[in-house]
Amino acid sequence: MTTLFISDLHLDPSRPAITALFLEFLRGQARQAEALYILGDLFEAWIGDDTPSTAADAVATALRELADAGVPVFFIRGNRDFLVGEDYARRAGMRILPDPCVVPLYGSPVLLQHGDLLCTDDTAYQAFRAQTRDPAFIAQFLAQPLEARIAFAQKARAASQARQSEMKQGDRAQFETVTDVAPDEVAATFRRYGVDTMIHGHTHRPAVHSVQVDDATCTRIVLGDWYEQGSVLQVDASGYRLQALTP
């Protein structure tokens, strides 16, 4: 049996072909899996479980069908959909896991996370993350009318796009460094959790990295995004394989 890992689908009405590809994946390849892990940013934006979205409804139905077929679905919140709550999780038949968390995988402990906590060189983002993950902020935000939450999300997204555009026009190498994981934080995370394998998304740089941490050789597996195609990590007792899915 194979365990599947995906992240950074960023499902959005502006890209219906990717939503269709994901639904096809759930009703096809995923049905043969031992489990499915979604490591964040399933949606481009999420402003509460009361968000009206036909795409989110279709995804919830397909995920529930997968879970009912005997394939457990696990979800770690990402930086775009950290407000996904238990109401939507129940509809989708998926279990929300803490970020990060360690799970047993074919006899070995593996660290799973979305990946943004590893990008410590981006100090502005880390400050924003700390503010928006505060339970008081979340409660206050979700108590606002839907229209106010939509306006806030649009403003935050525009600000993020403007900042990234500004960074790209400056020092491109610095942009690549800031938006990728910090090697020191990667090593510290391996030490903190006492594992030798880590799987994450967020950076949109799919690859399998060998990382030397003290006297141990560790493996860091990065999942790809679903902007132009699908990206799936297949794991079984024999090893790991990154797979691309064509719309």
Side-chain angles (χ1 to χ4, degrees):
M1 295 292 287
T2 301
T3 301
L4 303 178
F5 295 84
I6 58 175
S7 73
D8 299 284
L9 289 85
H10 294 268
L11 299 179
D12 187 81
S14 65
R15 296 184 299 116
I18 294 300
T19 301
L21 177 64
F22 180 51
L23 295 175
E24 179 183 346
F25 164 78
L26 292 178
R27 291 164 179 153
Q29 180 181 355
R31 290 293 181 101
Q32 309 304 316
E34 187 170 348
L36 171 65
Y37 288 84
I38 305 171
L39 303 189
D41 285 0
L42 174 59
F43 299 103
E44 177 69 14
W46 194 264
I47 56 174
D49 288 358
D50 59 343
T51 302
S53 170
T54 55
D57 292 343
V59 167
T61 298
L63 286 170
R64 167 60 73 176
E65 291 173 351
L66 180 65
D68 289 346
V71 181
V73 180
F74 302 96
F75 176 74
I76 288 179
R77 298 178 176 98
N79 57 295
R80 297 297 185 94
D81 54 13
F82 65 91
L83 290 174
V84 169
E86 293 296 341
D87 286 346
Y88 187 78
R90 279 191 291 270
R91 286 174 54 201
M94 62 186 187
R95 176 185 171 190
I96 298 178
L97 300 176
D99 181 16
C101 66
V102 176
V103 301
L105 194 61
Y106 303 106
S108 299
V110 175
L111 179 67
L112 307 179
Q113 58 183 323
H114 175 56
D116 53 339
L117 285 170
L118 299 170
C119 301
T120 52
D121 289 337
D122 193 346
T123 55
Y125 168 73
Q126 293 299 334
F128 176 78
R129 187 188 193 283
Q131 174 193 1
T132 55
R133 297 309 191 278
D134 182 87
F137 174 90
I138 292 175
Q140 182 182 32
F141 179 80
L142 293 177
Q144 297 182 45
L146 182 61
E147 294 76 12
R149 283 179 276 147
I150 292 174
F152 178 90
Q154 291 174 339
K155 183 178 179 180
R157 184 176 180 182
S160 175
Q161 291 174 339
R163 178 172 175 267
Q164 289 205 16
S165 178
E166 181 180 351
M167 291 171 67
K168 289 177 181 178
Q169 292 174 2
D171 187 338
R172 182 75 189 197
Q174 178 67 13
F175 169 79
E176 295 295 336
T177 298
V178 167
T179 56
D180 202 355
V181 301
D184 288 348
E185 184 61 26
V186 169
T189 301
F190 273 119
R191 294 189 191 100
R192 187 179 309 127
Y193 289 92
V195 299
D196 60 15
T197 303
M198 174 193 308
I199 302 173
H200 70 84
H202 181 66
T203 64
H204 301 188
R205 295 170 169 92
V208 178
H209 301 273
S210 181
V211 182
Q212 194 67 30
V213 181
D214 302 326
D215 295 330
T217 301
C218 302
T219 302
R220 179 172 69 92
I221 304 171
V222 188
L223 307 177
D225 64 66
W226 286 54
Y227 278 116
E228 302 296 335
Q229 60 183 11
S231 180
V232 181
L233 172 68
Q234 300 176 328
V235 183
D236 58 27
S238 64
Y240 310 86
R241 184 169 74 91
L242 283 166
Q243 174 193 17
L245 303 179
T246 305

